[in-house]
Amino acid sequence: MPAWLGLVVLAVSAWMFVTVHGRLGEERAYDAARLTSVPATVEARVDEHRSRTVRHWLHVSEQGSGTSLRLRMSDYGSDALYESVRPGDRVTLVYWRGEARAVTFDGLTQQTHASPRGDWRLPMGIGQGLVPLGVLLFWTAWWNRHRYPTARARHIVNAGAVWVAGILAGTFAFFACAAGDSVTDVLLVAVCGIPPSAALGALFARLMRRRLRKADDTSDIVPRVPTARVTVRVGIHGDVPYSRAGYGLLVLGDGPPAATADPAGRVARVTLPDTLTVERVRGWRLGEDPDAWPGTYKFNGVVIECRDGERDVLIATRRRDAPLILGALLSPAAV
């Protein structure tokens, strides 16, 4: 699935670049054309607020014909002209192919939204931003097939860091479309975003490995016999009858520990047998433990390795609940 999705993303990116080529041609034609100027009078300025953006509208009336126009000013470049004019000011409208493409006033020029100048920037930004995402999806498909089945925790963290760096680089590349005056400028700014994105990805990997080492240290978890009835969240994995879908709770301090699906812990209980013995407590083993556990317990979880006869049993829980589970499993008084 990631490979197909990556192909779609890169195809969309390629189409965006094709669009850029066409819009650059329009911009060159506009710059080379003989433009028509028409005097006009400013009637009003209107700011239209939409979510986190503001659209600037200039209401003008052409002198002579009296034709009223509502011009949306370009989102690119300076708003100096729009901020300078006031109702009653005389401006000049610049026409190309029958439509007002720019407004001039007192030595200032600002493009309208209909101007082809800068139209290539948005598809350029989208195209650049999608390239890292498409590459990441292809790389993820390869990694999932050839590396994930045997990967250790630090390798999975490194894979996550690659995604962080790639997403940051893509985001930087998207916003780079507003920089400079040409496609070359935009590309150079996008490339300049790669080193800091890689550095932040490396920092992410370092911080995550540090958290993994801290989470893997279970020396502070000491058995504590529950003195009252309590229900804790767990995940039980193994070829045993008390490992059931939906039975994600463990009742302690009310006889033998029992798995249950009842939040109150009073019905649907499956008692853990006295043949279940604790071997050790450890942190996650990414790629070996059930995939849902790290996502459920984050770095606040541990795994209690047990044996029930010849069968391995794993109990995942929150670090703070592990002492009570250990106390209940190890202490005869809890049975």
Side-chain angles (χ1 to χ4, degrees), residues 237-252:
H237 178 72
D239 186 19
V240 289
Y242 44 90
S243 175
R244 300 183 181 182
Y247 279 62
L249 299 169
L250 198 62
V251 181
L252 308 174

Side-chain angles (χ1 to χ4, degrees), residues 252-273:
L252 308 174
D254 185 19
T260 181
D262 176 24
R266 300 188 182 279
V267 298
R269 294 171 54 159
V270 179
T271 302
L272 274 60

Side-chain angles (χ1 to χ4, degrees), residues 179-190:
D181 299 320
S182 65
V183 171
T184 302
D185 292 341
V186 171
L187 288 172
L188 287 175
V189 173

Side-chain angles (χ1 to χ4, degrees), residues 206-242:
R206 182 176 180 180
L207 293 176
M208 292 296 286
R209 284 195 295 267
R210 181 181 299 174
R211 293 192 67 180
L212 276 174
R213 287 194 297 268
K214 184 177 180 181
D216 200 43
D217 182 7
T218 57
S219 59
D220 59 334
I221 298 178
V222 180
R224 180 161 55 91
V225 177
T227 57
R229 185 173 175 276
V230 62
T231 302
V232 298
R233 187 174 64 175
V234 298
I236 301 177
H237 178 72
D239 186 19
V240 289
Y242 44 90

Side-chain angles (χ1 to χ4, degrees), residues 270-323:
V270 179
T271 302
L272 274 60
D274 54 12
T275 55
L276 184 66
T277 59
V278 175
E279 294 195 333
R280 60 183 294 234
V281 182
R282 60 168 174 81
W284 304 124
R285 288 180 181 171
L286 301 180
E288 297 181 23
D289 295 330
D291 291 339
W293 285 359
T296 300
Y297 299 99
K298 306 297 189 290
F299 290 95
N300 188 38
V302 295
V303 176
I304 303 174
E305 289 188 351
C306 305
R307 294 279 293 178
D308 188 350
E310 297 298 322
R311 295 167 293 188
D312 294 323
V313 180
L314 303 179
I315 302 177
T317 188
R318 294 174 294 187
R319 179 177 288 265
R320 69 184 185 187
D321 294 330

